[in-house]
Amino acid sequence: SKDRLQPMIRDTPALNGKVKDVKSRGSENTILHKKFPGGHITLVGANAPSTLASRPIRIVFCDEVDRYPASAGAEGDPVALAAKRTTTFWNRKLVLVSTPTVKGVSRIEKAYENSTKEQWCLPCPSCGELQPLTWGQTIFKADGPDQVQSVEHCCRECGALHGEYEWKAGIGQWIAREPERKTRGFHLNELVSPWKRWEEIVSDFLKAKDSPEELKTWVNTSLGETWEEQGEQVDENELVKRREQYAASVPDPVLVLTAGVDVQNDRFEVEVVGWGVGKESWGIEYRIIYGDPAKPEIWHQLDEYLGRTWRRADGSGITVSCTCIDSGGHHTTDVYRFCVKRETRRIFAIKGEGGDGKAFVGRVSRTARENCALFLIGVDGGKVTLLTRLKNKFEGTEGYCHFPIKAECGYGEEYFKGLTSEKQVIRFHKGRPRLEWIKVGKVRNEPLDVRNYATAALEILNPNLEMLAKVDRNSPKNTQSGQAQPRKYGVVNKGIQA
Ligand SMILES: [Zn+2]
């Protein structure tokens, strides 16, 4: 308000005098609220959009939206909250402006992708072809950041090279790539800026190029493009396509079943995972059990679910050998109470720990409350393992992940969005690079956590899968006629006597 708005009002003859000075007597104007004939300007921070709550607003202008918090306190998305103020106006206008930030988490990129996608285009001085100026077509000669000899832009149509002044002398226009869309979106970069010389842009690039963090800033601010983090992400669509028809609930190569449980305020999310030689895995079922964890009913349902006998193609049965339940949420004591009575069934409470260098299955201790066994799980390490396994494209090899296509198994598109909802990125802390997990977009990440817990359960159980495979081949299987016998395997528990 003080640095930009006030000087603009003061220095623009058409505006000067329309808005009373803050200091003038009887003025209703404050720094953040300015009245003028026919309207008002109200300035609010993205972290407190509730300041707008009582006012209808016709035009909302959101600046630097990529730096907004995902939620304004507990109130929700600040852009959505601000937009809500405009609903009573037929001629409302919502403007989002920003330097983009990280690909996949950028608000402005998402908004632009859904718009007319207009680009500022200039004509080639040789052939007249209208085109946006891009870094890819920029050709420069330099001996270092301070010795830029020449910068030219190559026409994408005729290949002619022309310098800055020739290109900038052309008459430009906006050209939409999606002209049918209702929301208009505009993109331009610093190469067309009247305030920045190409030589300076090249010099900035040469200074920044060796540091990922500086290069990121340069890409964001000079090119106006999002930065793609180095961290690899698994393509959810490939996983969706990979889903297969199992011959039975539990495919034959599965030797052991484990489960992971995430506790939310209104539900449990549970996954049963089958494991074979080389920790090749088969998703068996992803189940959401709704209910209030403060009440006993939902726990009865969970107990029953975890005790189920699952069927193979030959009719024989197999039960879950080990389960990990997250105790880190709001129902810690309930989780302890449930688990402590079921340790003989290897149903264990776990607590996730973030950060590098933590063992995937760490220390086990007894809790003061309820005297329950509690395993510490290094979730970041678990995510790295999972990412590596999901990237494995070769069925029958170590760690390959299978998923069932049958709808009732619960592996829909939402599941895969959740499973791939986080990726590893490089972050700089006090100049040192560090890998961190960040959430991509706003999808729920429970499927990722739950798979991590089911994997932790396998590590706690620590079975010799290769040996089990030999035993399995030699033992006669139960037939459909008989009562299914849950398989019993000699397993070594890590750290705890069940
Ligand atoms: Zn040309």
Side-chain angles (χ1 to χ4, degrees):
S1 180
K2 281 181 178 171
D3 294 341
R4 298 202 171 178
L5 189 58
Q6 264 164 235
M8 182 191 74
I9 293 166
R10 182 195 63 208
D11 297 342
T12 308
L15 298 178
N16 193 356
K18 296 281 196 302
V19 182
K20 279 197 190 127
D21 197 72
V22 174
K23 282 177 226 146
S24 71
R25 273 210 305 163
S27 163
E28 289 173 283
N29 287 344
T30 63
I31 289 169
L32 297 179
H33 183 68
K34 297 184 186 303
K35 285 193 174 175
F36 53 85
H40 67 90
I41 294 176
T42 303
L43 295 105
V44 300
N47 50 0
S50 58
T51 323
L52 291 176
S54 56
R55 293 193 180 96
I57 310 278
R58 187 167 79 83
I59 299 170
V60 173
F61 187 100
C62 303
D63 200 12
E64 290 298 347
V65 290
D66 271 22
R67 311 212 180 271
Y68 284 17
S71 175
E75 294 174 73
D77 178 6
V79 174
L81 288 170
K84 217 181 249 176
R85 307 313 315 152
T86 67
T87 44
T88 52
F89 293 95
W90 65 271
N91 55 350
R92 60 185 168 266
K93 200 180 283 274
L94 175 64
V95 184
L96 306 183
V97 179
S98 193
T99 298
T101 52
V102 179
K103 192 173 184 66
V105 299
S106 166
R107 283 175 191 270
I108 199 73
E109 177 182 59
K110 195 171 161 232
Y112 184 74
E113 285 303 320
N114 291 316
S115 75
T116 49
K117 293 170 79 167
E118 292 171 50
Q119 292 172 300
W120 182 247
C121 295
L122 288 167
C124 166
S126 286
C127 74
E129 168 83 3
L130 282 161
Q131 58 199 284
L133 301 186
T134 65
W135 183 243
Q137 298 283 105
T138 303
I139 290 161
F140 63 86
K141 287 198 193 94
D143 287 332
D146 300 320
Q147 288 160 294
V148 180
Q149 279 119 27
S150 71
V151 193
E152 287 174 305
H153 193 269
C154 175
C155 170
R156 69 177 182 192
E157 184 65 23
C158 72
L161 288 168
H162 290 280
E164 178 171 6
Y165 297 113
E166 290 173 289
W167 278 100
K168 285 185 179 173
I171 294 170
Q173 67 184 74
W174 290 103
I175 296 179
R177 281 174 288 169
E178 301 284 349
E180 307 302 319
R181 293 192 183 152
K182 278 185 177 170
T183 304
R184 296 192 66 183
F186 306 91
H187 178 265
L188 48 70
N189 61 36
E190 226 172 19
L191 290 168
V192 297
S193 168
W195 297 291
K196 188 96 179 187
R197 298 274 314 277
W198 286 3
E199 270 175 32
E200 289 174 71
I201 297 172
V202 169
S203 172
D204 288 350
F205 165 74
L206 293 172
K207 279 179 207 151
K209 72 177 176 45
D210 296 327
S211 150
E213 204 68 346
E214 284 176 37
L215 190 58
K216 173 175 184 259
T217 307
W218 181 82
V219 167
N220 290 162
T221 57
S222 281
L223 300 186
E225 287 172 13
T226 51
W227 172 257
E228 188 145 18
E229 296 286 2
Q230 310 273 311
E232 290 167 282
Q233 209 187 346
V234 180
D235 183 2
E236 63 184 71
N237 298 315
E238 271 185 32
L239 295 176
V240 171
K241 272 188 253 154
R242 169 195 286 198
R243 289 178 301 174
E244 57 196 276
Q245 197 79 47
Y246 292 171
S249 300
V250 180
D252 279 342
V254 171
L255 302 164
V256 169
L257 294 181
T258 65
V261 182
D262 188 56
V263 178
Q264 296 286 328
N265 276 330
D266 63 340
R267 66 186 187 281
F268 294 144
E269 301 211 1
V270 192
E271 187 184 20
V272 175
V273 181
W275 302 92
V277 170
K279 293 179 186 169
E280 189 171 358
S281 69
W282 283 261
I284 304 297
E285 190 171 275
Y286 193 86
R287 171 71 74 90
I288 297 176
I289 303 173
Y290 288 97
D292 181 357
K295 295 183 180 146
E297 293 83 6
I298 187 171
W299 292 101
H300 290 318
Q301 283 184 53
L302 179 66
D303 191 34
E304 204 174 71
Y305 187 75
L306 294 176
R308 262 184 74 171
T309 300
W310 300 82
R311 297 289 163 189
R312 295 169 180 277
D314 65 2
S316 63
I318 176 169
T319 56
V320 170
S321 297
C322 186
T323 302
C324 284
I325 306 183
D326 181 29
S327 68
H330 295 293
H331 296 279
T332 306
T333 308
D334 297 306
V335 173
Y336 291 167
R337 274 187 200 135
F338 182 81
C339 293
V340 74
K341 284 185 234 147
R342 291 167 181 80
E343 285 177 5
T344 50
R345 282 166 60 194
R346 298 191 199 90
I347 295 176
F348 297 123
I350 56 124
K351 191 164 177 271
E353 273 191 310
D356 275 350
K358 301 257 167 56
F360 181 39
V361 173
R363 199 161 47 84
V364 56
S365 59
R366 288 268 164 204
T367 61
R369 265 181 297 165
E370 309 296 330
N371 192 33
C372 174
L374 178 68
F375 286 85
L376 290 180
I377 303 296
V379 287
D380 286 359
K383 287 174 190 171
V384 173
T385 305
L386 179 58
L387 186 77
T388 311
R389 288 178 181 169
L390 288 173
K391 280 195 303 206
N392 178 358
K393 293 190 171 77
F394 304 101
E395 212 180 317
T397 62
E398 197 173 320
Y400 182 88
C401 303
H402 299 258
F403 298 98
I405 197 162
K406 218 166 132 188
E408 59 256 46
C409 295
Y411 295 90
E413 280 177 30
E414 283 304 304
Y415 170 83
F416 292 99
K417 277 195 187 119
L419 191 65
T420 57
S421 62
E422 291 183 27
K423 64 175 183 175
Q424 223 177 9
V425 298
I426 298 165
R427 283 278 181 271
F428 285 76
H429 290 272
K430 292 173 186 155
R432 294 176 145 266
R434 195 161 87 182
L435 281 172
E436 279 180 15
W437 288 89
I438 60 163
K439 246 175 113 174
V440 180
K442 284 187 188 167
V443 282
R444 298 213 308 249
N445 60 351
E446 283 88 353
L448 175 60
D449 288 338
V450 174
R451 175 56 72 109
N452 227 350
Y453 304 154
T455 307
L458 181 77
E459 296 304 318
I460 292 170
L461 188 67
N462 196 22
N464 185 334
L465 293 163
E466 283 64 30
M467 183 105 85
L468 289 179
K470 279 183 205 151
V471 174
D472 198 63
R473 269 197 292 277
N474 300 329
S475 67
K477 297 202 171 157
N478 293 315
T479 57
Q480 271 110 334
S481 58
Q483 176 78 22
Q485 294 289 317
R487 288 161 188 236
K488 290 201 174 66
Y489 294 125
V491 292
V492 184
N493 280 331
K494 267 187 189 167
I496 181 160
Q497 281 304 103

